[in-house]
Amino acid sequence: MEDEPTPTVPLPVEEEGSNEQAYIHATRTMFQALNKYLRGELNLTLEDYLLLERMNRVATQKYNEMADYAEGLGTFIAIMQAKYDSLRPYLDQIDEIDARVTQLEQVVNLLNDYTKRLEQRFKSLQYTCKAS
């Protein structure tokens, strides 16, 4: 935008046809001011559109970065799922061993209880034999 000073020409002294000249001068001045105003408005609108264009470019870049990140996450999830699937048989074996160990603990506790009762019986018989 060119900032040209609007020339202010003094109105001519009233003479014949000076009213017509005054109207022409006023009209010319009005159109120059209107021209300057419209150019300013158009430049503001242009600057707004340029700003929007820059904002759109930045937003597009951010969305592309997020899409790349999401794609990377998708790949990572697929890799982790494949690893989990390869470990699944071992995890099943661990669950089976855990169940067997739990059963074995129950048998050991039953055997321990039985052994305690048997020991008490033996002591009771021993005491009875010594007393007789």
Side-chain angles (χ1 to χ4, degrees):
M1 177 177 124
E2 298 174 15
D3 283 334
E4 300 173 2
T6 306
T8 55
V9 179
L11 293 175
V13 180
E14 295 232 2
E15 299 174 4
E16 248 183 67
S18 67
N19 276 344
E20 187 178 323
Q21 289 296 323
Y23 289 131
I24 290 172
H25 176 67
T27 304
R28 185 174 291 129
T29 304
M30 179 192 70
F31 277 119
Q32 287 173 346
L34 183 62
N35 182 14
K36 188 175 181 181
Y37 169 76
L38 290 175
R39 284 183 187 270
E41 285 295 317
L42 288 174
N43 282 334
L44 285 175
T45 302
L46 178 63
E47 290 297 321
D48 287 344
Y49 281 122
L50 291 174
L51 176 62
L52 282 172
E53 183 182 10
R54 284 192 300 263
M55 289 170 58
N56 282 338
R57 274 194 237 122
V58 169
T60 300
Q61 181 182 2
K62 291 291 182 187
Y63 282 123
N64 286 337
E65 289 172 4
M66 289 181 356
D68 292 344
Y69 183 74
E71 185 179 330
L73 283 178
T75 303
F76 177 73
I77 289 172
I79 291 170
M80 294 306 293
Q81 184 64 43
K83 287 181 180 181
Y84 176 77
D85 291 342
S86 69
L87 289 175
R88 187 69 201 163
Y90 300 111
L91 295 173
D92 290 341
Q93 287 178 358
I94 290 171
D95 289 342
E96 185 179 326
I97 290 170
D98 182 52
R100 287 184 181 175
V101 166
T102 301
Q103 288 176 343
L104 186 60
E105 285 175 347
Q106 290 172 353
V107 169
V108 166
N109 285 335
L110 289 173
L111 185 60
N112 190 31
D113 290 343
Y114 176 74
T115 305
K116 286 179 183 177
R117 284 185 304 208
L118 194 60
E119 182 182 6
Q120 285 177 351
R121 247 186 185 173
F122 180 74
K123 285 183 180 179
S124 162
L125 284 175
Q126 220 177 17
Y127 180 72
T128 310
C129 286
K130 283 186 184 180
S132 359

